[in-house]
Amino acid sequence: MNSVSNFVEKLRNSGLRPTKQRIKICEVLFNTDKTFHFTINELSKIISEKIEEKISLATIYNTVHAFKREGYLKEITINSDKSYFDTNTSHHHHFFDNLTKELTDLNDEDVEKIQIKKSLPGKKISSVEILVKVENE
Amino acid sequence: MNSVSNFVEKLRNSGLRPTKQRIKICEVLFNTDKTFHFTINELSKIISEKIEEKISLATIYNTVHAFKREGYLKEITINSDKSYFDTNTSHHHHFFDNLTKELTDLNDEDVEKIQIKKSLPGKKISSVEILVKVENE
DNA sequence: ATGCTACTTTATAATGATTCTAAAAAAAGT
DNA sequence: ACTTTTTTTAGAATCATTATAAAGTAGCAT
Ligand SMILES: [Mn+2]
Ligand SMILES: [Mn+2]
Ligand SMILES: [Zn+2]
Ligand SMILES: [Zn+2]
């Protein structure tokens, strides 16, 4: 489904030249039918496991941030400890299990339409995101 | 409204003895009718401006975290850059203006009841929080 | 293809928030 | 007053992230 030409397009759109390292990063991020959540460190580990040559952290940070800027990745903020990224770029929400530290998608359709009855003068809403924290029953 | 005896109670409930430094921190946090949002660094600055003697960062961190643990403060996570705390401990949501970095309360009553139509097996919801990002009109 | 230039990668250093440490100070207990 | 426990504090350690600057590579024009 996602092939090198697709990665090249994503990189170019993000203002990045398609280098060997960046293509490798794309393979990990986009060469799957399932979307997933990751931290930069996890991504770095996945890359070093799957790939013979190592990619420096600086390159990974730069590439991930460029993709985020362009909208090919979303950043999810749960707590101040860690920054999570998401390859699911559709508008959606999250469950977070504080015990297992697991993030689960909560699709927009799975939430009754949210009505905000307050507004701020001179401001308009640019996004509404819900974080549902869960615990064991 | 909030006086020293009230601060002493909050400290004791949080497992802390009422020392001079901790009472000063309470005065900044709780000796006001308005609730507010702050970062630890901002709190540290406010304290050093309002008070002759200086309180070490370690003491401020420890005290704030003890209050959070006990529920006298809430932590609000907007992005991974900074950790915000909130003296408003009622269940509520937030507006965040990414330009001004300003946080504004959005009361529970100002949001139409949220219905989550999906559930995770073996898990129950412990909190639902909404973050509304705003931008200039 | 060759060379020129701009972009990229990388190792390493810097930064900044938070936490840890251990010694001095303060408070509590006897 | 003396002893023990708790607290404060300065400074060190840690850890994620960002910056730097030198060496490598890609794109483009000859
Ligand atoms: Mn924290
Ligand atoms: Mn970021
Ligand atoms: Zn997601
Ligand atoms: Zn608030």
Side-chain angles (χ1 to χ4, degrees):
Chain A
M1 80 167 23
N2 275 307
S3 61
V4 174
S5 67
N6 181 279
F7 303 155
V8 171
E9 188 197 348
K10 284 191 166 70
L11 287 165
R12 287 241 143 89
N13 288 343
S14 306
L16 300 177
R17 285 186 188 167
T19 64
K20 198 173 45 173
Q21 292 87 343
R22 288 168 178 165
I23 299 281
K24 291 288 186 189
I25 294 173
C26 286
E27 280 169 8
V28 172
L29 290 179
F30 306 121
N31 205 8
T32 166
D33 41 349
K34 285 189 262 303
T35 62
F36 65 102
H37 305 108
F38 63 92
T39 64
I40 296 273
N41 258 324
E42 288 164 3
L43 178 59
S44 172
K45 264 175 222 145
I46 296 169
I47 290 171
S48 59
E49 280 163 12
K50 289 208 177 171
I51 285 164
E52 61 287 356
E53 67 212 298
K54 133 176 211 310
I55 299 178
S56 77
L57 256 187
T59 297
I60 297 175
Y61 269 98
N62 290 340
T63 306
V64 164
H65 279 123
F67 281 148
K68 179 193 162 188
R69 226 175 289 126
E70 191 60 24
Y72 290 122
L73 291 176
K74 288 180 74 173
E75 190 169 5
I76 316 282
T77 310
I78 304 297
N79 54 42
S80 38
D81 306 342
K82 279 178 181 174
S83 188
Y84 292 85
F85 289 87
D86 196 340
T87 63
N88 178 353
T89 57
S90 74
H91 180 248
H92 68 287
H93 309 284
H94 292 94
F95 288 111
F96 182 70
D97 186 327
N98 205 37
L99 268 183
T100 64
K101 305 293 174 197
E102 212 170 348
L103 259 180
T104 310
D105 280 352
L106 174 59
N107 292 327
D108 208 18
E109 310 87 64
D110 290 330
V111 177
E112 202 77 63
K113 182 137 180 74
I114 306 150
Q115 294 292 347
I116 309 290
K117 293 188 262 180
K118 182 182 177 186
S119 64
L120 297 179
K123 307 286 177 185
K124 66 164 188 264
I125 292 174
S126 58
S127 74
V128 176
E129 293 195 6
I130 304 178
L131 181 62
V132 180
K133 293 197 174 148
V134 298
E135 58 190 345
N136 289 332
E137 250 171 355
Chain B
M1 79 167 22
N2 275 307
S3 62
V4 173
S5 67
N6 181 280
F7 302 155
V8 170
E9 190 197 347
K10 284 191 166 69
L11 286 165
R12 287 241 143 87
N13 287 344
S14 307
L16 299 178
R17 287 188 186 163
T19 64
K20 198 173 44 171
Q21 290 88 342
R22 289 167 178 164
I23 298 281
K24 290 288 184 188
I25 294 173
C26 286
E27 278 168 10
V28 172
L29 290 180
F30 306 121
N31 204 7
T32 165
D33 41 348
K34 285 187 262 302
T35 62
F36 65 104
H37 305 109
F38 63 91
T39 65
I40 297 271
N41 258 324
E42 288 165 3
L43 178 59
S44 171
K45 264 175 222 146
I46 296 169
I47 290 171
S48 59
E49 280 162 13
K50 289 207 177 175
I51 283 162
E52 61 287 357
E53 67 212 299
K54 138 176 207 310
I55 299 177
S56 77
L57 257 186
T59 298
I60 297 175
Y61 270 98
N62 290 340
T63 307
V64 165
H65 279 124
F67 281 148
K68 181 193 161 187
R69 227 174 290 126
E70 191 59 24
Y72 289 123
L73 291 176
K74 287 181 75 173
E75 190 169 6
I76 316 282
T77 310
I78 305 298
N79 55 43
S80 38
D81 305 342
K82 280 178 179 173
S83 188
Y84 291 85
F85 290 88
D86 197 340
T87 63
N88 179 352
T89 57
S90 73
H91 180 248
H92 68 288
H93 309 283
H94 291 94
F95 288 110
F96 182 69
D97 186 327
N98 205 38
L99 268 183
T100 64
K101 305 293 174 197
E102 214 170 347
L103 260 181
T104 309
D105 280 352
L106 174 59
N107 292 328
D108 209 17
E109 312 86 66
D110 290 328
V111 177
E112 202 77 63
K113 182 136 179 75
I114 305 151
Q115 294 291 347
I116 310 288
K117 294 188 261 179
K118 182 185 177 184
S119 64
L120 297 180
K123 306 286 175 184
K124 67 164 187 256
I125 291 174
S126 58
S127 74
V128 177
E129 293 194 8
I130 304 178
L131 180 62
V132 180
K133 292 198 175 148
V134 299
E135 58 190 344
N136 289 332
E137 253 171 353

